[in-house]
Every structure is written in C-alpha cells, then in structure tokens.
Amino acid sequence: MKITDQVRQLAEPVVAEKNCELWDVEYVREGSTWYLRLYLDKEGGVDINDCEAVSRAMDPILDEADPIPDSYTFEVCSAGLERTLKRPGDFERFMGADVLVRLYRPHNGSKEFAGVLTGYCNGDVTITIGDTIMSFTKAEVAQVRLRVDF
C-alpha cells in the first residue's frame, strides 16, 4: 500500500473528529527534504486552529504507526480556494465551477485553458469557455484546479 493511502486511512477519522474533511494527502520531495502534507477542507473554511488541532492529534498516531521509515517534515494546511481536483468525486463536487486546465503539451498554441467544468469521465475533462466546448483526454491533462477571480 502506498504511503499516502496508509496515511489517509490513519488521518480520515482524526480529521472527521475535528469537524474537517481530508481533501488530500501528499508525500513529496522538495530539495533534500521529504514532506508529508495533509490538506483539509471545511464548510466556511479551514483556519490555523483546525490545522494545529489535526497536527497535534496526528503526531502520536504517525509516530506509533510509523508508515514512513525516513525522516520527513509533517505539515497540515488548508486545501485552499484554488485547490487541485484529482479524484472523480472532486470533479463531481465542483461540476459547474470555474477551473483552470493545464496541459502537458500546447493545444491550439496554449497549455492553459480557463472555463467552467461541464464534464468528467474516466479522466477526460470537458470545459465550456463562453460558447465553446473543449474536451481534453486524460493523457493530455497535467492538472485541473479551481479558479477564483479576485
């Protein structure tokens, strides 16, 4: 089982107990340091107190379960307004929302397209930009994230 899946199983009940939702688990190397990050969501938004409460509750659980043999930095943070959509449920939840689609290679001269999420099926993404409907295959899509105009 992947480290992120193990940590997700450990974290979901703790995060729910703190009245939050576990949005994502990330285990990544940045420079010479490994980071384990929990991304939280909550109706009305996540604040520093939510992050601290989850972090304090998770520390002893991670120490006991020891899912990561190497040294790492543990962080708990908000998923953010412009969060990345990854799982099918993310796309279902935010159908009709403004998104930014980033592609691996340019399509019609551009690698980024901003529009309204209007479809998702097996990794293929459809957005509407004005009157234009654009579909991208799973193989073309590098990232889809929510887009907020300030």
Side-chain angles (χ1 to χ4, degrees):
M1 182 183 293
K2 288 174 32 180
I3 288 171
T4 53
D5 293 336
Q6 291 174 13
V7 172
R8 179 177 289 282
Q9 286 181 346
L10 295 169
E12 280 181 333
V14 172
V15 171
E17 181 182 289
K18 303 298 180 191
N19 299 314
C20 293
E21 173 190 347
L22 183 60
W23 180 260
D24 198 12
V25 177
E26 181 179 67
Y27 184 59
V28 294
R29 186 177 188 146
E30 295 177 4
S32 62
T33 305
W34 281 93
Y35 289 89
L36 174 63
R37 291 189 182 108
L38 302 184
Y39 291 94
L40 308 180
D41 193 18
K42 178 173 102 173
E43 188 71 36
V46 172
D47 63 27
I48 189 73
N49 296 323
D50 296 317
C51 296
E52 183 179 350
V54 170
S55 179
R56 286 179 191 265
M58 282 300 299
D59 273 334
I61 293 168
L62 289 171
D63 287 345
E64 184 178 325
D66 200 20
I68 304 170
D70 302 317
S71 176
Y72 63 93
T73 299
F74 178 54
E75 297 179 343
V76 178
C77 42
S78 167
L81 292 175
E82 293 192 333
R83 68 193 64 183
T84 300
L85 305 181
K86 295 182 178 180
R87 296 171 301 279
D90 300 346
F91 288 90
E92 291 169 20
R93 179 175 174 183
F94 289 102
M95 196 61 59
D98 289 333
V99 295
L100 181 68
V101 177
R102 287 197 176 116
L103 305 177
Y104 290 112
R105 289 185 270 313
H107 178 83
N108 293 338
S110 182
K111 288 176 79 173
E112 290 189 347
F113 295 88
V116 175
L117 179 63
T118 52
Y120 178 84
C121 183
N122 297 323
D124 296 349
V125 177
T126 302
I127 61 172
T128 302
I129 305 168
D131 294 332
T132 305
I133 296 172
M134 298 189 77
S135 292
F136 306 99
T137 66
K138 181 179 181 177
E140 292 176 293
V141 177
Q143 180 186 62
V144 178
R145 65 175 176 82
L146 295 179
R147 187 175 63 89
V148 179
D149 287 326
F150 293 99

